[in-house]
Amino acid sequence: MATESVGLPFEASALSAWLVWILPFAAAMIMPGIGKLSQNATKYVAVGFALMSAVSAATMVPVALEAHELHDQIMWIEAIGLKAGVLADPLSIIMANVVGWISFLIMIYSTGYMKGDKDITRFWFWMMFFIGSMQLIVLSDNLLQVFFGWEGVGLASYALISFWYRDKKKDHVGTEGRTVLGMLDYYAPTHAGMKAFIMTKVGDVMMIAGMLLIFLFAGTFGFKELMGNTDWATAMAAQGLLVPAFVLLFGGAMGKSAQFPLNEWLLEAMTGPTAVSALIHAATMVKAGVFLVARIGPIVFALGAAGILADQFFEIVAWVGAITALLLATQGMVNPEIKKVLAYSTGSQIGYMMMALGVAGLSHQYVDGYTAGFYHLISHAMFKASLFMAAGSLLHIVGSRFMTDMGGLRKHMKKTYAFMWAAGLGLMGAPFITTGFWSKDAIFAAVYESGNEWALPLFAIAVLTAIITAFYTTRMIGLVFFGKKSKHIEKMEEEGHHIHEASVSMWVPYGILAVLTIGIGIIGLSAEEGLHHTFEYYLKNSFGIYSSHAADESSILPEFLQGLNPIALGASLVAFSTGIGLGYIFYIGRWVDPVRFVNSNIFFYAIHKLFLNRWYLNAIVYWCFVTTPLWLARGVSRYFEKTAIDYGMNDGVQKAASWGAKVIQGTQSGVSQSYLFVFGAGLLFVILILLM
């Protein structure tokens, strides 16, 4: 065993780093046995092991706060000198705590949400397996080990998305009977699970190709080893393979984080239980791609500082993030299903994070974009997990996934109403009181101050996306909690089903995260500065990346806002006020009927239809990669196999053999003169051939 530690005793910390991901796997392994003894006991085991994993992550926080790191290795495959290890640095420790503690809260939520499900043991198994795989990604010290965790979260995601594999109508997403370009826009859990599995595997194949390409030149998968000797990068750059290798790695991130063009699977993954959506598709797995970029990005930037330029990598990351952010935000404006709105929002906000990390590499102040992107990851994990769990409570109580089946619920579900406002304000970026405001403002500032040629268009996209985000969040809250009760709710009440607040085990977890969104938001600038300093020391010590800021003495901002960019701050305020104002006009104040507004103008109607139909991208994907290949396959089967093979070869050979047999049979007359005649004819033929 090899252990490296800076500043702190390694024994306890190293053990903690290993336990963070081993404990959830251990819980998954014993879960079937516990389930056979008592299904009720499985929830206590799951919650208990999730808590122990989170506590193990928390014990490493002092290492992160002091910008130290812990590197611990054991021999894995001795024949080729391959080692397994954990790398606990500020990046991985903070991420491990985000994953660990949010997972713990979601597990508590699940005890209420999944109560009475007959397959509860299978649910707990896959949830713990997922947490273990995710923490393995976070704490691994090499790309190969990351890939094992990568495939683990993919497998668990498939199993949990299609958890209700009996495909009952209540578990579908989309509107029954609705089509887009002839493609059915209505998806069963098994369909959604398979789509997620296949689309993410496209990215996984790209990722492993990039890994192996780097290994071919470097002879190692280890992150620290890759920085220790950069000769491999020089050799790859000389052959034009360095940027393609890192772009291939980014392909894996695109798949897992649902970034354009591999984004369509996330929107249909809402067929899984809401607890799954909160854990996998809001707080953790979709963040794996962001974490991977945050892990390899400093390596690429440090290589650039050493003269081995790879700017194209950061340009691709930034633009993929920007396109995804805007594309999915527009779709969230019009969708009627609450979980799908949150899914669109998740992909869009992850686009923000990618854009920030990409812009960081195009700026001399790498730490600014790096901190902004990761700070938004932390804040988004809190308020989006809260919103998903609150949405699950609404679905649990109302019995419908459509916001049009809700309405007027604020008097009946006061706690959920308050917490959704708090978390929603975080998503909108409410000024000065939410984590979302500070993290978005940091992204705006990083983009605006980057000084690269793409700064202004990326900044414009970021601001426009923020306006749309505030609008669809207000729309969601307005449709659910304001206005009159829907006919669906009135019918439920007539049948004796009264609307009430969710159980304590359900509302407490998302209540905690909503309160943290506001609580940390109040001290948000200090939190952002603290994170910035931590990453500043981390990037300097681990990668030799330095940050220097010239003091701005001409700032027009008040003292408590010193250090903020006035343009970015102004853009944040304008985006929030514009988005929430438009949302209030249409969906809370109800001053304008949105349906009449859309139908009043052909342009508005066309835009609404374009957004509702997902820019026709999903239908195009199906036509290109599913329907057309199937049509061609059927054509091959019908016209080649049946005509050329069956009729041409099989029947032809049969008929030829039958005719030949008849000819030969005809010669078997039993008359010796006939045999002599055939023999003489054959002999004459041979003689003629020889004479020629």
Side-chain angles (χ1 to χ4, degrees):
M1 176 181 293
T3 307
E4 179 185 347
S5 178
V6 183
L8 292 172
F10 78 82
E11 289 85 3
S13 298
L15 179 60
S16 297
W18 287 101
L19 288 177
V20 167
W21 63 269
I22 289 175
L23 283 171
F25 278 131
M29 295 302 105
I30 66 173
M31 199 62 68
I34 300 295
K36 287 187 178 294
L37 297 174
S38 170
Q39 283 199 339
N40 190 53
T42 55
K43 65 182 180 182
Y44 299 108
V45 174
V47 172
F49 273 81
L51 176 60
M52 288 190 291
S53 176
V55 170
S56 297
T59 61
M60 297 186 294
V61 170
V63 178
L65 293 178
E66 297 185 22
H68 294 153
E69 68 178 30
L70 173 79
H71 187 207
D72 189 29
Q73 292 182 318
I74 60 174
M75 185 58 67
W76 186 5
I77 305 176
E78 191 170 359
I80 58 175
L82 191 62
K83 296 179 180 179
V86 291
L87 178 59
D89 54 16
L91 175 68
S92 60
I93 292 171
I94 296 171
M95 187 70 181
N97 276 276
V98 171
V99 173
W101 288 107
I102 291 181
S103 297
F104 169 64
L105 291 173
I106 293 173
M107 299 303 270
I108 293 175
Y109 172 85
S110 300
T111 61
Y113 187 83
M114 297 299 294
K115 186 177 181 179
D117 195 290
K118 64 179 182 179
D119 295 318
I120 190 64
T121 301
R122 176 163 58 90
F123 174 82
W124 293 125
F125 170 84
W126 283 114
M127 290 288 275
M128 297 309 299
F129 185 89
F130 170 83
I131 295 171
S133 299
M134 186 65 202
Q135 295 288 32
L136 178 61
I137 292 174
V138 171
L139 289 163
S140 292
D141 76 330
N142 64 85
L143 280 168
L144 184 60
Q145 203 171 305
V146 166
F147 190 75
F148 274 87
W150 203 265
E151 293 303 294
V153 298
L155 179 62
S157 177
Y158 164 73
L160 289 167
I161 291 170
S162 54
F163 181 79
W164 288 316
Y165 61 88
R166 294 174 179 84
D167 289 346
K168 296 179 180 179
K169 287 187 177 181
K170 67 180 182 66
D171 301 321
H172 286 50
V173 295
T175 304
E176 188 174 4
R178 187 175 184 275
T179 60
V180 180
L181 297 182
M183 298 291 104
L184 192 64
D185 193 31
Y186 185 61
Y187 308 102
T190 53
H191 174 98
M194 184 58 67
K195 183 175 181 177
F197 188 81
I198 292 173
M199 290 197 76
T200 55
K201 286 296 165 289
V202 174
D204 294 355
V205 171
M206 295 172 67
M207 180 179 175
I208 197 168
M211 287 168 47
L212 293 176
L213 194 58
I214 291 173
F215 181 80
L216 183 65
F217 284 85
T220 181
F221 292 107
F223 297 120
K224 292 186 71 66
E225 289 81 359
L226 290 174
M227 278 302 302
N229 185 354
T230 59
D231 291 344
W232 61 274
T234 305
M236 292 184 73
Q239 299 188 33
L241 295 175
L242 185 63
V243 172
F246 282 112
V247 170
L248 285 170
L249 286 178
F250 179 60
M254 289 166 57
K256 280 290 186 289
S257 292
Q259 297 295 284
F260 179 82
L262 301 177
N263 60 283
E264 291 297 327
W265 69 266
L266 178 62
L267 317 171
E268 296 162 22
M270 299 302 106
T271 55
T274 304
V276 172
S277 303
L279 178 65
I280 296 180
H281 308 127
T284 54
M285 188 187 87
V286 289
K287 304 294 197 311
V290 181
F291 177 81
L292 180 64
V293 175
R295 176 61 82 193
I296 65 174
I299 299 176
V300 182
F301 189 82
L303 291 175
I308 309 170
L309 298 179
D311 288 351
Q312 297 94 330
F313 168 77
F314 291 111
E315 290 178 354
I316 291 171
V317 172
W319 275 107
V320 166
I323 293 169
T324 307
L326 182 59
L327 183 71
L328 296 190
T330 58
Q331 297 174 48
M333 294 171 64
V334 298
N335 200 276
E337 298 178 58
I338 187 168
K339 284 180 66 177
K340 288 188 76 172
V341 170
L342 293 174
Y344 288 121
S345 175
T346 296
S348 176
Q349 295 301 301
I350 291 173
Y352 259 128
M353 303 167 205
M354 290 294 190
M355 180 171 56
L357 293 175
V359 165
L362 301 174
S363 169
H364 295 294
Q365 299 295 340
Y366 182 80
V367 183
D368 291 354
Y370 191 85
T371 303
F374 203 78
Y375 188 32
H376 197 56
L377 182 152
I378 299 169
S379 64
H380 179 265
M382 290 190 296
F383 59 67
K384 186 55 63 67
S386 179
L387 285 170
F388 260 113
M389 286 189 281
S393 293
L394 292 169
L395 268 66
H396 199 72
I397 301 300
V398 178
S400 174
R401 62 184 181 272
F402 293 98
M403 292 182 289
T404 49
D405 288 337
M406 303 177 191
L409 295 180
R410 66 185 187 277
K411 296 180 181 179
H412 303 279
M413 302 180 71
K414 295 180 180 179
K415 295 184 180 69
T416 299
Y417 170 65
F419 294 141
M420 282 199 75
W421 257 122
L425 287 172
L427 176 58
M428 289 186 276
F432 310 120
I433 61 169
T434 63
T435 57
F437 170 77
W438 299 109
S439 59
K440 284 187 180 181
D441 183 80
I443 292 174
F444 288 177
V447 174
Y448 185 78
E449 296 174 353
S450 62
N452 68 81
E453 58 182 321
W454 304 115
L456 288 180
L458 289 173
F459 183 76
I461 292 174
V463 174
L464 179 58
T465 302
I467 294 172
I468 297 173
T469 302
F471 173 80
Y472 67 64
T473 306
T474 309
R475 170 181 177 264
M476 176 182 66
I477 293 174
L479 286 173
V480 172
F481 294 106
F482 290 84
K484 298 180 180 179
K485 294 180 181 178
S486 66
K487 293 181 179 179
H488 175 78
I489 292 178
E490 289 178 348
K491 184 179 179 181
M492 287 181 62
E493 291 180 336
E494 289 174 0
E495 295 174 351
H497 302 288
H498 297 288
I499 306 299
H500 56 85
E501 188 60 80
S503 63
V504 175
S505 63
M506 292 176 67
W507 68 258
V508 167
Y510 60 79
I512 291 173
L513 292 173
V515 170
L516 285 173
T517 298
I518 302 298
I520 299 177
I522 294 173
I523 60 166
L525 185 58
S526 299
E528 194 272 335
E529 289 176 349
L531 188 65
H532 187 280
H533 289 312
T534 298
F535 282 143
E536 193 172 19
Y537 290 124
Y538 162 64
L539 292 171
K540 181 178 70 174
N541 295 333
S542 299
F543 303 96
I545 299 174
Y546 292 86
S547 175
S548 59
H549 286 277
D552 186 7
E553 300 179 355
S554 61
S555 178
I556 60 175
L557 299 176
E559 187 175 351
F560 77 98
L561 294 177
Q562 289 298 314
L564 297 182
N565 183 286
I567 303 296
L569 179 60
S572 298
L573 298 175
V574 169
F576 171 76
S577 57
T578 304
I580 196 172
L582 291 172
Y584 185 90
I585 291 171
F586 284 102
Y587 296 101
I588 295 180
R590 310 289 173 115
W591 299 346
V592 179
D593 185 357
V595 177
R596 289 183 179 179
F597 179 80
V598 168
N599 293 329
S600 66
N601 186 289
I602 186 65
F603 176 76
F604 295 144
Y605 177 81
I607 292 295
H608 180 274
K609 190 174 182 179
L610 176 67
F611 293 168
L612 186 61
N613 291 334
R614 298 159 66 169
W615 291 73
Y616 298 98
L617 292 174
N618 188 62
I620 291 171
V621 167
Y622 270 95
W623 273 110
C624 293
F625 298 103
V626 180
T627 304
T628 301
L630 284 175
W631 180 80
L632 291 173
R634 293 191 185 102
V636 170
S637 173
R638 181 176 298 175
Y639 298 106
F640 180 77
E641 183 180 349
K642 292 184 179 179
T643 303
I645 303 298
D646 290 346
Y647 297 140
M649 296 184 65
N650 295 342
D651 289 352
V653 171
Q654 182 183 354
K655 290 178 179 179
S658 177
W659 179 82
K662 289 179 179 180
V663 172
I664 294 172
Q665 185 180 1
T667 63
Q668 306 303 307
S669 60
V671 180
S672 50
Q673 290 90 335
S674 300
Y675 297 145
L676 289 171
F677 175 76
V678 172
F679 176 78
L683 183 63
L684 179 63
F685 178 77
V686 171
I687 292 171
L688 290 172
I689 293 295
L690 292 174
L691 290 175
M692 291 175 66

